[in-house]
Amino acid sequence: MAQRNIEEELKTLRSLLKQEKEAELSQYKAKMTGTSLAERKKQGLCWYPVKIEKTSFDSGERLLVRVSRPKEHLESHLFQSGKLISLFSNADNDKEDFVNGVVNQVKEQEMLITLNNDDLPDWIYRGHIGVQLLFDENSYREMETAVSFLIHTKEDRISRIKNVLLGETEALFAAVYPINIAALNENQNKALNLVNKASDVAIIHGPPGTGKTTTLVHAILQVLKEEEHVLVCAPSNAAVDLLVEKLSEQQVEVLRIGNPARVTQELLSKTLDARIAHHPYYKDLKVIRKKAEEFRNLAHKYKRHYGFAERQQRKSLFEEADKLKDEAEQLSFFISNDIISKTPVIASTLVGAASYVLKGKRFRTVFIDEAAQALEPASWIPIIKSDRVIFAGDHCQLPPTIKSVDASRAGLSITLFEKAIDRNKADVMLTEQYRMNTNIMTFSSRQFYKNQLVANARVANWKLFPDDLPLEFIDTAGSGFFEQVDGDTYSTYNKEEADLLIRHFNRYTSELEAMDKLREVTNIGIISPYKAQVSQLRDAMVVEGRITEHISALLNINTVDSFQGQERDIIYISLVRSNEKGEIGFLSDTRRMNVAMTRARKKLVIIGDSSTICSHPFYDKLLDYVNEIGAYRSAFELPAN
């Protein structure tokens, strides 16, 4: 009976995934069909025009193109590393030329793209170039395949891990000799020992700044003492790359499957394409491929009207080309297998674990980082290749992004990480944090982590100068700074609040400069949950030049999601919402606010309308907290200029 319940749960999951796919595809079509380039730019689906800055081949002989957009066209966008795109030109009025590719890296003004082409298209330098997002059907196909496999599998080990993670069977732990790593704190060592004991699953719950990645890397190092290979995954390319970098620092050999987001030569050298290009048999592979191409080209030289002998010769050339192509594929498969078999750590995104190069491969252990940000179907992709899973993440931070409201409400928003932590006794929470001043940390600790977080002595009293307030809440209540809605994107913004933030920001950074403390600031973030407010702030501060070039170089202005996993010396948060009805929209997703507030190391400034946000219990408690520590200030206290 219980087994049937799990199968029903998985069937429901598959149904919700289809619902999500249909919702995303419908939204994509609605944004693309019959819309102008200007509208697509507003919606974050397109950069146009762009300039080709550089073209090159990476160490894996993949074609790279770096493009930039004008400074005055810095609209918010939906591009991320790993996303499928189309690079196009509409210089020819009769047709649109295009070539598809993948985003490697995207910054505010620049994007690096890997093209699915061996050579640059002829039209690339004609001008009128743009980059446009494509709908990624492959990810949905791989997720659906994984869930369907789980429903029907008869494999004992997969069935067991399925039952354990979904709470039907109790997780097992072996008795092993305890270890203690001097570089780790008490709870980090507890997590490490839990991983060593786990037969099925272990969960590292890592609140902000508690050294989750450090602990995970040590866990991987310990497992590699007993196991020849491990699979390491995360939902995003950026999270995978961070693990690759950290493991490489420990002199661990890593093979990166897929497109890296952090495009450094060192990271590119770890990709499969690069490793294939440096394999001893690669020259042989190139020779075979070249011969196949030559035979095919010779066959194509025969014109439409030719006799029997020519027809036979043409057929023979095609057959020879096909034989050589098969030979090349077999050699390529051998080279890939040879590289994979000799590399201790294979790293990929969750969906990337479905890559053909890992087909038929099994691992004793898979590590999944940032597991609380992953859709459940995506998490299963690497798990079904493994005998046990080690999760790391924090379900009190950002959840996965879901397009379908109905699918989200029906349960798609609940991650496998959350289910596993709720249905098993297999987790350790890290409690000592190394990022934030105590005043910045405490509210988050109370609201999300049962008040168990403790600031490490090195950061507990971290300030930019002795008399500074680590946390300030600037209240705009009564100032008439009412929110507005952007007519094109339907996103909310608050121009007066943005102006107030800039005034406070410029005054504060000027104070730091006067005290010669600005040189101690390595980076600054300005966060708003609303894309329209991000655009307001970017336009005012960067495009209009209301900040100095030096400050601009330190600054990143973006939405909450883009700051996940990052930290800054100084963080400003613009809450935006200000209305007479007390409506706060998706500010009510308090996990987003948890992420925003916990990015700050030494200084956190929150600007919002208390009379609007206090209708929600979370923000009511936040206002109590800022009063408790003397961090409350009214907007009326700030000078006009």
Side-chain angles (χ1 to χ4, degrees), residues 2-7 9-10 150 153 155-171 200-201 380 416 419-420 423-424:
Q3 177 65 33
R4 188 165 60 251
N5 287 341
I6 284 181
E7 286 183 5
E9 183 176 347
L10 289 167
L150 279 173
T153 186
E155 288 186 34
D156 290 344
R157 185 60 205 163
I158 300 299
S159 296
R160 173 172 174 79
I161 202 166
K162 172 177 73 176
N163 290 338
V164 168
L165 294 181
L166 296 178
E168 170 57 23
T169 304
E170 191 173 339
D200 309 294
V201 59
W380 285 114
L416 187 58
K419 288 181 180 180
R423 302 178 190 185
N424 293 273

PDB file of all heavy atoms in Angstrom, residues 2-7 9-10 150 153 155-171 200-201 380 416 419-420 423-424:
ATOM      1  N   ALA A   2       1.887   1.244   0.898  1.00  0.00           N
ATOM      2  CA  ALA A   2       2.771   2.412   0.994  1.00  0.00           C
ATOM      3  C   ALA A   2       3.552   2.613  -0.290  1.00  0.00           C
ATOM      4  O   ALA A   2       3.738   3.731  -0.735  1.00  0.00           O
ATOM      5  CB  ALA A   2       3.724   2.248   2.176  1.00  0.00           C
ATOM      6  N   GLN A   3       3.994   1.488  -0.887  1.00  0.00           N
ATOM      7  CA  GLN A   3       4.735   1.588  -2.142  1.00  0.00           C
ATOM      8  C   GLN A   3       3.878   2.229  -3.230  1.00  0.00           C
ATOM      9  O   GLN A   3       4.346   3.053  -4.006  1.00  0.00           O
ATOM     10  CB  GLN A   3       5.188   0.182  -2.580  1.00  0.00           C
ATOM     11  CG  GLN A   3       5.921   0.149  -3.912  1.00  0.00           C
ATOM     12  CD  GLN A   3       7.238   0.884  -3.834  1.00  0.00           C
ATOM     13  OE1 GLN A   3       7.880   0.889  -2.780  1.00  0.00           O
ATOM     14  NE2 GLN A   3       7.643   1.529  -4.907  1.00  0.00           N
ATOM     15  N   ARG A   4       2.588   1.839  -3.259  1.00  0.00           N
ATOM     16  CA  ARG A   4       1.672   2.415  -4.246  1.00  0.00           C
ATOM     17  C   ARG A   4       1.514   3.914  -4.017  1.00  0.00           C
ATOM     18  O   ARG A   4       1.397   4.683  -4.948  1.00  0.00           O
ATOM     19  CB  ARG A   4       0.320   1.708  -4.181  1.00  0.00           C
ATOM     20  CG  ARG A   4      -0.624   2.111  -5.298  1.00  0.00           C
ATOM     21  CD  ARG A   4      -1.803   1.172  -5.452  1.00  0.00           C
ATOM     22  NE  ARG A   4      -2.613   1.090  -4.252  1.00  0.00           N
ATOM     23  CZ  ARG A   4      -2.670   0.036  -3.446  1.00  0.00           C
ATOM     24  NH1 ARG A   4      -1.937  -1.042  -3.700  1.00  0.00           N
ATOM     25  NH2 ARG A   4      -3.449   0.039  -2.384  1.00  0.00           N
ATOM     26  N   ASN A   5       1.555   4.323  -2.716  1.00  0.00           N
ATOM     27  CA  ASN A   5       1.457   5.750  -2.398  1.00  0.00           C
ATOM     28  C   ASN A   5       2.660   6.518  -2.955  1.00  0.00           C
ATOM     29  O   ASN A   5       2.514   7.630  -3.453  1.00  0.00           O
ATOM     30  CB  ASN A   5       1.358   5.959  -0.886  1.00  0.00           C
ATOM     31  CG  ASN A   5       0.001   5.563  -0.341  1.00  0.00           C
ATOM     32  OD1 ASN A   5      -0.954   5.476  -1.107  1.00  0.00           O
ATOM     33  ND2 ASN A   5      -0.071   5.298   0.947  1.00  0.00           N
ATOM     34  N   ILE A   6       3.835   5.934  -2.832  1.00  0.00           N
ATOM     35  CA  ILE A   6       5.034   6.578  -3.371  1.00  0.00           C
ATOM     36  C   ILE A   6       4.941   6.663  -4.892  1.00  0.00           C
ATOM     37  O   ILE A   6       5.293   7.684  -5.494  1.00  0.00           O
ATOM     38  CB  ILE A   6       6.309   5.826  -2.924  1.00  0.00           C
ATOM     39  CG1 ILE A   6       6.614   6.168  -1.469  1.00  0.00           C
ATOM     40  CG2 ILE A   6       7.499   6.185  -3.803  1.00  0.00           C
ATOM     41  CD1 ILE A   6       7.849   5.512  -0.915  1.00  0.00           C
ATOM     42  N   GLU A   7       4.461   5.598  -5.508  1.00  0.00           N
ATOM     43  CA  GLU A   7       4.309   5.624  -6.963  1.00  0.00           C
ATOM     44  C   GLU A   7       3.292   6.684  -7.373  1.00  0.00           C
ATOM     45  O   GLU A   7       3.477   7.380  -8.376  1.00  0.00           O
ATOM     46  CB  GLU A   7       3.898   4.247  -7.468  1.00  0.00           C
ATOM     47  CG  GLU A   7       5.050   3.245  -7.439  1.00  0.00           C
ATOM     48  CD  GLU A   7       4.681   1.888  -8.005  1.00  0.00           C
ATOM     49  OE1 GLU A   7       3.550   1.747  -8.521  1.00  0.00           O
ATOM     50  OE2 GLU A   7       5.522   0.980  -7.924  1.00  0.00           O
ATOM     51  N   GLU A   9       2.688   9.391  -5.688  1.00  0.00           N
ATOM     52  CA  GLU A   9       3.369  10.674  -5.468  1.00  0.00           C
ATOM     53  C   GLU A   9       4.255  11.021  -6.664  1.00  0.00           C
ATOM     54  O   GLU A   9       4.284  12.173  -7.120  1.00  0.00           O
ATOM     55  CB  GLU A   9       4.214  10.593  -4.192  1.00  0.00           C
ATOM     56  CG  GLU A   9       4.908  11.908  -3.829  1.00  0.00           C
ATOM     57  CD  GLU A   9       5.661  11.831  -2.506  1.00  0.00           C
ATOM     58  OE1 GLU A   9       5.464  10.859  -1.742  1.00  0.00           O
ATOM     59  OE2 GLU A   9       6.447  12.761  -2.242  1.00  0.00           O
ATOM     60  N   LEU A  10       4.949  10.026  -7.190  1.00  0.00           N
ATOM     61  CA  LEU A  10       5.826  10.255  -8.341  1.00  0.00           C
ATOM     62  C   LEU A  10       5.026  10.512  -9.616  1.00  0.00           C
ATOM     63  O   LEU A  10       5.422  11.329 -10.451  1.00  0.00           O
ATOM     64  CB  LEU A  10       6.763   9.064  -8.535  1.00  0.00           C
ATOM     65  CG  LEU A  10       7.866   8.924  -7.466  1.00  0.00           C
ATOM     66  CD1 LEU A  10       8.534   7.562  -7.548  1.00  0.00           C
ATOM     67  CD2 LEU A  10       8.892  10.043  -7.593  1.00  0.00           C
ATOM     68  N   LEU A 150      11.891   6.111 -12.327  1.00  0.00           N
ATOM     69  CA  LEU A 150      11.655   5.837 -10.908  1.00  0.00           C
ATOM     70  C   LEU A 150      10.343   5.100 -10.685  1.00  0.00           C
ATOM     71  O   LEU A 150      10.247   4.218  -9.837  1.00  0.00           O
ATOM     72  CB  LEU A 150      11.618   7.150 -10.118  1.00  0.00           C
ATOM     73  CG  LEU A 150      12.949   7.779  -9.733  1.00  0.00           C
ATOM     74  CD1 LEU A 150      12.710   9.147  -9.126  1.00  0.00           C
ATOM     75  CD2 LEU A 150      13.710   6.899  -8.757  1.00  0.00           C
ATOM     76  N   THR A 153      10.939   1.385 -12.244  1.00  0.00           N
ATOM     77  CA  THR A 153      12.155   0.603 -11.998  1.00  0.00           C
ATOM     78  C   THR A 153      11.920  -0.589 -11.072  1.00  0.00           C
ATOM     79  O   THR A 153      11.125  -0.524 -10.129  1.00  0.00           O
ATOM     80  CB  THR A 153      13.277   1.489 -11.412  1.00  0.00           C
ATOM     81  OG1 THR A 153      14.477   0.710 -11.323  1.00  0.00           O
ATOM     82  CG2 THR A 153      12.920   1.990 -10.022  1.00  0.00           C
ATOM     83  N   GLU A 155      14.938  -2.147 -10.126  1.00  0.00           N
ATOM     84  CA  GLU A 155      16.284  -2.260  -9.553  1.00  0.00           C
ATOM     85  C   GLU A 155      16.211  -2.106  -8.040  1.00  0.00           C
ATOM     86  O   GLU A 155      15.652  -1.133  -7.530  1.00  0.00           O
ATOM     87  CB  GLU A 155      17.213  -1.189 -10.137  1.00  0.00           C
ATOM     88  CG  GLU A 155      17.602  -1.428 -11.581  1.00  0.00           C
ATOM     89  CD  GLU A 155      18.643  -0.421 -12.063  1.00  0.00           C
ATOM     90  OE1 GLU A 155      19.491  -0.017 -11.232  1.00  0.00           O
ATOM     91  OE2 GLU A 155      18.583  -0.032 -13.233  1.00  0.00           O
ATOM     92  N   ASP A 156      16.798  -3.042  -7.323  1.00  0.00           N
ATOM     93  CA  ASP A 156      16.708  -3.045  -5.860  1.00  0.00           C
ATOM     94  C   ASP A 156      17.291  -1.785  -5.232  1.00  0.00           C
ATOM     95  O   ASP A 156      16.688  -1.178  -4.344  1.00  0.00           O
ATOM     96  CB  ASP A 156      17.428  -4.281  -5.294  1.00  0.00           C
ATOM     97  CG  ASP A 156      16.673  -5.567  -5.604  1.00  0.00           C
ATOM     98  OD1 ASP A 156      15.481  -5.475  -5.963  1.00  0.00           O
ATOM     99  OD2 ASP A 156      17.288  -6.648  -5.505  1.00  0.00           O
ATOM    100  N   ARG A 157      18.490  -1.406  -5.703  1.00  0.00           N
ATOM    101  CA  ARG A 157      19.162  -0.278  -5.049  1.00  0.00           C
ATOM    102  C   ARG A 157      18.420   1.032  -5.312  1.00  0.00           C
ATOM    103  O   ARG A 157      18.250   1.848  -4.406  1.00  0.00           O
ATOM    104  CB  ARG A 157      20.619  -0.172  -5.549  1.00  0.00           C
ATOM    105  CG  ARG A 157      21.435   0.886  -4.840  1.00  0.00           C
ATOM    106  CD  ARG A 157      21.515   0.620  -3.349  1.00  0.00           C
ATOM    107  NE  ARG A 157      21.744   1.835  -2.574  1.00  0.00           N
ATOM    108  CZ  ARG A 157      21.538   1.947  -1.278  1.00  0.00           C
ATOM    109  NH1 ARG A 157      21.093   0.929  -0.580  1.00  0.00           N
ATOM    110  NH2 ARG A 157      21.770   3.076  -0.647  1.00  0.00           N
ATOM    111  N   ILE A 158      17.970   1.245  -6.539  1.00  0.00           N
ATOM    112  CA  ILE A 158      17.231   2.464  -6.861  1.00  0.00           C
ATOM    113  C   ILE A 158      15.905   2.491  -6.111  1.00  0.00           C
ATOM    114  O   ILE A 158      15.487   3.527  -5.593  1.00  0.00           O
ATOM    115  CB  ILE A 158      16.988   2.580  -8.384  1.00  0.00           C
ATOM    116  CG1 ILE A 158      18.310   2.609  -9.147  1.00  0.00           C
ATOM    117  CG2 ILE A 158      16.168   3.829  -8.710  1.00  0.00           C
ATOM    118  CD1 ILE A 158      19.216   3.751  -8.809  1.00  0.00           C
ATOM    119  N   SER A 159      15.249   1.347  -6.027  1.00  0.00           N
ATOM    120  CA  SER A 159      13.984   1.274  -5.293  1.00  0.00           C
ATOM    121  C   SER A 159      14.196   1.613  -3.821  1.00  0.00           C
ATOM    122  O   SER A 159      13.388   2.307  -3.204  1.00  0.00           O
ATOM    123  CB  SER A 159      13.376  -0.128  -5.419  1.00  0.00           C
ATOM    124  OG  SER A 159      13.033  -0.399  -6.761  1.00  0.00           O
ATOM    125  N   ARG A 160      15.306   1.131  -3.262  1.00  0.00           N
ATOM    126  CA  ARG A 160      15.574   1.416  -1.845  1.00  0.00           C
ATOM    127  C   ARG A 160      15.813   2.907  -1.614  1.00  0.00           C
ATOM    128  O   ARG A 160      15.225   3.508  -0.722  1.00  0.00           O
ATOM    129  CB  ARG A 160      16.778   0.606  -1.349  1.00  0.00           C
ATOM    130  CG  ARG A 160      17.151   1.042   0.074  1.00  0.00           C
ATOM    131  CD  ARG A 160      18.182   0.224   0.780  1.00  0.00           C
ATOM    132  NE  ARG A 160      18.498   0.873   2.041  1.00  0.00           N
ATOM    133  CZ  ARG A 160      17.741   0.791   3.134  1.00  0.00           C
ATOM    134  NH1 ARG A 160      16.631   0.081   3.124  1.00  0.00           N
ATOM    135  NH2 ARG A 160      18.083   1.435   4.238  1.00  0.00           N
ATOM    136  N   ILE A 161      16.679   3.508  -2.433  1.00  0.00           N
ATOM    137  CA  ILE A 161      16.992   4.932  -2.206  1.00  0.00           C
ATOM    138  C   ILE A 161      15.764   5.799  -2.447  1.00  0.00           C
ATOM    139  O   ILE A 161      15.541   6.805  -1.772  1.00  0.00           O
ATOM    140  CB  ILE A 161      18.212   5.375  -3.061  1.00  0.00           C
ATOM    141  CG1 ILE A 161      18.845   6.627  -2.442  1.00  0.00           C
ATOM    142  CG2 ILE A 161      17.845   5.629  -4.512  1.00  0.00           C
ATOM    143  CD1 ILE A 161      20.213   6.939  -2.996  1.00  0.00           C
ATOM    144  N   LYS A 162      14.912   5.377  -3.383  1.00  0.00           N
ATOM    145  CA  LYS A 162      13.644   6.074  -3.626  1.00  0.00           C
ATOM    146  C   LYS A 162      12.782   6.018  -2.364  1.00  0.00           C
ATOM    147  O   LYS A 162      12.238   7.034  -1.921  1.00  0.00           O
ATOM    148  CB  LYS A 162      12.928   5.426  -4.816  1.00  0.00           C
ATOM    149  CG  LYS A 162      11.516   5.901  -5.067  1.00  0.00           C
ATOM    150  CD  LYS A 162      10.919   5.246  -6.318  1.00  0.00           C
ATOM    151  CE  LYS A 162      10.587   3.794  -6.085  1.00  0.00           C
ATOM    152  NZ  LYS A 162       9.913   3.184  -7.255  1.00  0.00           N
ATOM    153  N   ASN A 163      12.659   4.828  -1.769  1.00  0.00           N
ATOM    154  CA  ASN A 163      11.829   4.656  -0.582  1.00  0.00           C
ATOM    155  C   ASN A 163      12.395   5.387   0.634  1.00  0.00           C
ATOM    156  O   ASN A 163      11.645   5.915   1.456  1.00  0.00           O
ATOM    157  CB  ASN A 163      11.658   3.169  -0.262  1.00  0.00           C
ATOM    158  CG  ASN A 163      10.787   2.466  -1.289  1.00  0.00           C
ATOM    159  OD1 ASN A 163      10.002   3.105  -1.980  1.00  0.00           O
ATOM    160  ND2 ASN A 163      10.938   1.155  -1.404  1.00  0.00           N
ATOM    161  N   VAL A 164      13.731   5.427   0.728  1.00  0.00           N
ATOM    162  CA  VAL A 164      14.363   6.141   1.844  1.00  0.00           C
ATOM    163  C   VAL A 164      14.115   7.638   1.733  1.00  0.00           C
ATOM    164  O   VAL A 164      13.647   8.282   2.675  1.00  0.00           O
ATOM    165  CB  VAL A 164      15.883   5.848   1.896  1.00  0.00           C
ATOM    166  CG1 VAL A 164      16.584   6.806   2.861  1.00  0.00           C
ATOM    167  CG2 VAL A 164      16.137   4.410   2.317  1.00  0.00           C
ATOM    168  N   LEU A 165      14.407   8.201   0.567  1.00  0.00           N
ATOM    169  CA  LEU A 165      14.285   9.658   0.408  1.00  0.00           C
ATOM    170  C   LEU A 165      12.848  10.126   0.569  1.00  0.00           C
ATOM    171  O   LEU A 165      12.598  11.219   1.082  1.00  0.00           O
ATOM    172  CB  LEU A 165      14.831  10.089  -0.957  1.00  0.00           C
ATOM    173  CG  LEU A 165      16.342   9.896  -1.161  1.00  0.00           C
ATOM    174  CD1 LEU A 165      16.750  10.380  -2.544  1.00  0.00           C
ATOM    175  CD2 LEU A 165      17.147  10.608  -0.098  1.00  0.00           C
ATOM    176  N   LEU A 166      11.907   9.312   0.139  1.00  0.00           N
ATOM    177  CA  LEU A 166      10.498   9.698   0.234  1.00  0.00           C
ATOM    178  C   LEU A 166       9.843   9.221   1.527  1.00  0.00           C
ATOM    179  O   LEU A 166       8.636   9.336   1.712  1.00  0.00           O
ATOM    180  CB  LEU A 166       9.737   9.190  -0.991  1.00  0.00           C
ATOM    181  CG  LEU A 166      10.190   9.820  -2.317  1.00  0.00           C
ATOM    182  CD1 LEU A 166       9.424   9.224  -3.492  1.00  0.00           C
ATOM    183  CD2 LEU A 166      10.029  11.341  -2.302  1.00  0.00           C
ATOM    184  N   GLY A 167      10.660   8.681   2.455  1.00  0.00           N
ATOM    185  CA  GLY A 167      10.196   8.451   3.813  1.00  0.00           C
ATOM    186  C   GLY A 167       9.515   7.134   4.086  1.00  0.00           C
ATOM    187  O   GLY A 167       8.980   6.929   5.180  1.00  0.00           O
ATOM    188  N   GLU A 168       9.554   6.197   3.159  1.00  0.00           N
ATOM    189  CA  GLU A 168       8.895   4.907   3.381  1.00  0.00           C
ATOM    190  C   GLU A 168       9.814   3.932   4.124  1.00  0.00           C
ATOM    191  O   GLU A 168       9.368   3.109   4.902  1.00  0.00           O
ATOM    192  CB  GLU A 168       8.467   4.314   2.027  1.00  0.00           C
ATOM    193  CG  GLU A 168       7.983   2.880   2.077  1.00  0.00           C
ATOM    194  CD  GLU A 168       6.811   2.678   3.030  1.00  0.00           C
ATOM    195  OE1 GLU A 168       6.096   3.652   3.324  1.00  0.00           O
ATOM    196  OE2 GLU A 168       6.629   1.547   3.490  1.00  0.00           O
ATOM    197  N   THR A 169      11.128   4.051   3.889  1.00  0.00           N
ATOM    198  CA  THR A 169      12.106   3.151   4.503  1.00  0.00           C
ATOM    199  C   THR A 169      13.104   3.981   5.300  1.00  0.00           C
ATOM    200  O   THR A 169      13.513   5.061   4.868  1.00  0.00           O
ATOM    201  CB  THR A 169      12.854   2.352   3.405  1.00  0.00           C
ATOM    202  OG1 THR A 169      11.893   1.658   2.606  1.00  0.00           O
ATOM    203  CG2 THR A 169      13.821   1.350   4.013  1.00  0.00           C
ATOM    204  N   GLU A 170      13.499   3.473   6.449  1.00  0.00           N
ATOM    205  CA  GLU A 170      14.418   4.216   7.307  1.00  0.00           C
ATOM    206  C   GLU A 170      15.836   4.189   6.742  1.00  0.00           C
ATOM    207  O   GLU A 170      16.319   3.141   6.285  1.00  0.00           O
ATOM    208  CB  GLU A 170      14.402   3.607   8.713  1.00  0.00           C
ATOM    209  CG  GLU A 170      15.125   4.468   9.742  1.00  0.00           C
ATOM    210  CD  GLU A 170      14.951   3.930  11.156  1.00  0.00           C
ATOM    211  OE1 GLU A 170      13.983   3.171  11.389  1.00  0.00           O
ATOM    212  OE2 GLU A 170      15.779   4.277  12.014  1.00  0.00           O
ATOM    213  N   ALA A 171      16.494   5.330   6.777  1.00  0.00           N
ATOM    214  CA  ALA A 171      17.878   5.414   6.305  1.00  0.00           C
ATOM    215  C   ALA A 171      18.804   4.653   7.248  1.00  0.00           C
ATOM    216  O   ALA A 171      18.628   4.676   8.471  1.00  0.00           O
ATOM    217  CB  ALA A 171      18.307   6.879   6.214  1.00  0.00           C
ATOM    218  N   ASP A 200      22.676   5.441   2.815  1.00  0.00           N
ATOM    219  CA  ASP A 200      21.688   5.866   1.821  1.00  0.00           C
ATOM    220  C   ASP A 200      21.709   7.366   1.563  1.00  0.00           C
ATOM    221  O   ASP A 200      21.750   7.807   0.421  1.00  0.00           O
ATOM    222  CB  ASP A 200      20.275   5.476   2.286  1.00  0.00           C
ATOM    223  CG  ASP A 200      20.182   4.024   2.684  1.00  0.00           C
ATOM    224  OD1 ASP A 200      20.337   3.176   1.789  1.00  0.00           O
ATOM    225  OD2 ASP A 200      19.955   3.737   3.869  1.00  0.00           O
ATOM    226  N   VAL A 201      21.633   8.152   2.632  1.00  0.00           N
ATOM    227  CA  VAL A 201      21.514   9.604   2.482  1.00  0.00           C
ATOM    228  C   VAL A 201      22.104  10.310   3.697  1.00  0.00           C
ATOM    229  O   VAL A 201      22.015   9.818   4.828  1.00  0.00           O
ATOM    230  CB  VAL A 201      20.030  10.030   2.304  1.00  0.00           C
ATOM    231  CG1 VAL A 201      19.170   9.601   3.486  1.00  0.00           C
ATOM    232  CG2 VAL A 201      19.898  11.533   2.056  1.00  0.00           C
ATOM    233  N   TRP A 380      16.529  13.910  -9.158  1.00  0.00           N
ATOM    234  CA  TRP A 380      16.550  12.460  -9.362  1.00  0.00           C
ATOM    235  C   TRP A 380      17.499  12.037 -10.486  1.00  0.00           C
ATOM    236  O   TRP A 380      17.960  10.890 -10.520  1.00  0.00           O
ATOM    237  CB  TRP A 380      15.141  11.944  -9.673  1.00  0.00           C
ATOM    238  CG  TRP A 380      14.229  11.878  -8.489  1.00  0.00           C
ATOM    239  CD1 TRP A 380      13.096  12.613  -8.271  1.00  0.00           C
ATOM    240  CD2 TRP A 380      14.345  11.010  -7.352  1.00  0.00           C
ATOM    241  NE1 TRP A 380      12.503  12.274  -7.081  1.00  0.00           N
ATOM    242  CE2 TRP A 380      13.246  11.282  -6.491  1.00  0.00           C
ATOM    243  CE3 TRP A 380      15.258  10.025  -6.981  1.00  0.00           C
ATOM    244  CZ2 TRP A 380      13.056  10.614  -5.286  1.00  0.00           C
ATOM    245  CZ3 TRP A 380      15.074   9.351  -5.769  1.00  0.00           C
ATOM    246  CH2 TRP A 380      13.981   9.647  -4.946  1.00  0.00           C
ATOM    247  N   LEU A 416      13.108  17.874  -3.294  1.00  0.00           N
ATOM    248  CA  LEU A 416      13.498  16.578  -2.733  1.00  0.00           C
ATOM    249  C   LEU A 416      14.329  16.786  -1.467  1.00  0.00           C
ATOM    250  O   LEU A 416      14.255  15.989  -0.525  1.00  0.00           O
ATOM    251  CB  LEU A 416      14.273  15.769  -3.775  1.00  0.00           C
ATOM    252  CG  LEU A 416      14.608  14.331  -3.399  1.00  0.00           C
ATOM    253  CD1 LEU A 416      13.348  13.528  -3.081  1.00  0.00           C
ATOM    254  CD2 LEU A 416      15.401  13.654  -4.514  1.00  0.00           C
ATOM    255  N   LYS A 419      11.830  17.249   1.319  1.00  0.00           N
ATOM    256  CA  LYS A 419      11.187  15.972   1.648  1.00  0.00           C
ATOM    257  C   LYS A 419      12.140  15.086   2.442  1.00  0.00           C
ATOM    258  O   LYS A 419      11.753  14.454   3.435  1.00  0.00           O
ATOM    259  CB  LYS A 419      10.746  15.262   0.369  1.00  0.00           C
ATOM    260  CG  LYS A 419       9.554  15.914  -0.326  1.00  0.00           C
ATOM    261  CD  LYS A 419       9.154  15.139  -1.578  1.00  0.00           C
ATOM    262  CE  LYS A 419       7.968  15.795  -2.285  1.00  0.00           C
ATOM    263  NZ  LYS A 419       7.554  15.059  -3.502  1.00  0.00           N
ATOM    264  N   ALA A 420      13.397  15.030   1.990  1.00  0.00           N
ATOM    265  CA  ALA A 420      14.375  14.157   2.642  1.00  0.00           C
ATOM    266  C   ALA A 420      14.692  14.621   4.060  1.00  0.00           C
ATOM    267  O   ALA A 420      14.842  13.801   4.974  1.00  0.00           O
ATOM    268  CB  ALA A 420      15.651  14.092   1.805  1.00  0.00           C
ATOM    269  N   ARG A 423      11.471  13.846   6.183  1.00  0.00           N
ATOM    270  CA  ARG A 423      11.030  12.458   6.324  1.00  0.00           C
ATOM    271  C   ARG A 423      12.121  11.514   6.835  1.00  0.00           C
ATOM    272  O   ARG A 423      11.900  10.318   6.992  1.00  0.00           O
ATOM    273  CB  ARG A 423      10.499  11.944   4.978  1.00  0.00           C
ATOM    274  CG  ARG A 423       9.350  12.773   4.421  1.00  0.00           C
ATOM    275  CD  ARG A 423       8.878  12.253   3.068  1.00  0.00           C
ATOM    276  NE  ARG A 423       7.939  13.195   2.447  1.00  0.00           N
ATOM    277  CZ  ARG A 423       7.298  12.951   1.300  1.00  0.00           C
ATOM    278  NH1 ARG A 423       7.491  11.810   0.669  1.00  0.00           N
ATOM    279  NH2 ARG A 423       6.469  13.849   0.785  1.00  0.00           N
ATOM    280  N   ASN A 424      13.325  12.045   7.071  1.00  0.00           N
ATOM    281  CA  ASN A 424      14.437  11.219   7.561  1.00  0.00           C
ATOM    282  C   ASN A 424      15.127  11.903   8.734  1.00  0.00           C
ATOM    283  O   ASN A 424      15.026  13.123   8.910  1.00  0.00           O
ATOM    284  CB  ASN A 424      15.476  11.004   6.450  1.00  0.00           C
ATOM    285  CG  ASN A 424      14.956  10.160   5.307  1.00  0.00           C
ATOM    286  OD1 ASN A 424      15.027   8.949   5.344  1.00  0.00           O
ATOM    287  ND2 ASN A 424      14.430  10.812   4.282  1.00  0.00           N
TER     288      ASN A 424
END
